[in-house]
Amino acid sequence: GYKFEAKTKVVTPTIQVSNPLFNMVGASSMLVNFTKGNGTNRLVLAKEGAPVNATPTDLNGYLANSNFGNGDVIGDGNYVVYNDTGEEFNLTNLNHSTEYHFAFLEYALDEDGALYFTPSLAANQVMPSIPTFAATNYRVSPPCTPDVIVEWTVSDADGSFVIVSEQPLDASPVNSTKYTALFDYGLGDAIGNGFLVFKGSGDLVPINKLLENKNYYVNIFEFNGTEDDPLFNITPLTGIIGDIIPPTTI
């Protein structure tokens, strides 16, 4: 005879996503963390400049893309930025100085489709703005040796980039670009005709392997965001290592 098997039906989750956190918020990206509920999957919607105002439809599936603006859109500007089983993702292609709104939904998935827990959990995050002020109070000691310490006073920014060059610097660092900094002059990433010797939240840098009897130009750019996804004030604090006027021979 025939054998019949009962079909197991999933039910709508009863515990929603919780504890949304936004970490490593840079000029154009952020790490989004959250705690899962009791479903099988999570879906996250994001919207620029206004609260999310749409809800996914039961039994429908949606394509997510963590590059903002490229996933499926529900309603007006509500983009699916995550649709998976985990509890974090990196969101990119964001605009600085802009607020992003999110809706987090737990859902259960079976062969018939998705059952979403509503209402969603709402959250928001403001992206960094350009630092208002440049760094101040440039100091160098000792001023005319191959290994020196450059110090400065940080402004209202998250940190500073220090670029050293043998001629006046002919370029500025680019927002949302990952650079490598090394204390040894000439070994960090090149930015124009200079080299990056420091990036971070400190206010001093030991600079090594400079040549004697040679002047160097120092440019200190303030940034907000993260070291690997920075947003710059392109007006630097400038200084000199060495003598601006060569010593007089007697």
Side-chain angles (χ1 to χ4, degrees):
Y2 294 100
K3 183 179 179 181
F4 295 94
E5 293 183 359
K7 183 179 179 181
T8 301
K9 297 287 291 184
V10 300
V11 296
T12 302
T14 57
I15 300 176
Q16 185 60 282
V17 175
S18 61
N19 302 319
L21 295 172
F22 305 100
N23 298 306
M24 302 297 293
V25 181
S28 62
S29 66
M30 67 173 82
L31 179 65
V32 183
N33 301 92
F34 45 89
T35 301
K36 65 183 178 181
N38 65 343
T40 58
N41 297 63
R42 279 98 252 160
L43 183 141
V44 182
L45 297 171
K47 186 172 184 176
E48 184 178 278
V52 172
N53 58 359
T55 302
T57 303
D58 279 350
L59 306 183
N60 280 3
Y62 299 93
L63 179 65
N65 194 317
S66 60
N67 191 46
F68 180 78
N70 290 279
D72 282 350
V73 61
I74 304 175
D76 180 21
N78 306 288
Y79 289 97
V80 181
V81 293
Y82 181 83
N83 188 358
D84 212 327
T85 60
E87 295 179 291
E88 72 173 33
F89 66 99
N90 192 51
L91 183 60
T92 60
N93 198 36
L94 306 174
N95 292 315
H96 69 78
S97 312
T98 301
E99 186 172 24
Y100 288 86
H101 296 258
F102 298 86
F104 297 83
L105 297 104
E106 189 80 2
Y107 72 91
L109 182 65
D110 72 1
E111 62 187 48
D112 291 331
L115 298 175
Y116 297 95
F117 183 113
T118 57
S120 60
L121 173 69
N124 63 287
Q125 175 65 42
V126 177
M127 300 298 290
S129 297
I130 296 171
T132 307
F133 303 105
T136 57
N137 196 23
Y138 173 85
R139 293 102 67 200
V140 58
S141 61
C144 300
T145 65
D147 301 319
V148 302
I149 294 177
V150 170
E151 300 180 76
W152 64 96
T153 300
V154 179
S155 68
D156 60 339
D158 292 329
S160 308
F161 274 45
V162 181
I163 304 169
V164 177
S165 57
E166 298 179 25
Q167 299 294 329
L169 187 65
D170 62 1
S172 298
V174 178
N175 292 338
S176 295
T177 301
K178 183 177 180 179
Y179 296 100
T180 298
L182 292 172
F183 295 157
D184 291 346
Y185 175 73
L187 298 183
D189 279 349
I191 299 176
N193 61 346
F195 295 93
L196 186 64
V197 297
F198 175 85
K199 65 175 184 177
S201 58
D203 57 5
L204 66 84
V205 55
I207 305 174
N208 308 319
K209 298 187 180 299
L210 301 177
L211 298 176
E212 295 184 354
N213 304 314
K214 189 175 186 64
N215 291 340
Y216 292 87
Y217 296 82
V218 179
N219 285 260
I220 302 174
F221 293 87
E222 299 290 81
F223 76 89
N224 281 332
T226 66
E227 295 178 16
D228 292 339
D229 186 13
L231 177 65
F232 294 102
N233 180 329
I234 60 170
T235 301
L237 169 66
T238 59
I240 294 285
I241 298 172
D243 293 323
I244 299 175
I245 301 175
T248 300
T249 302
I250 298 177

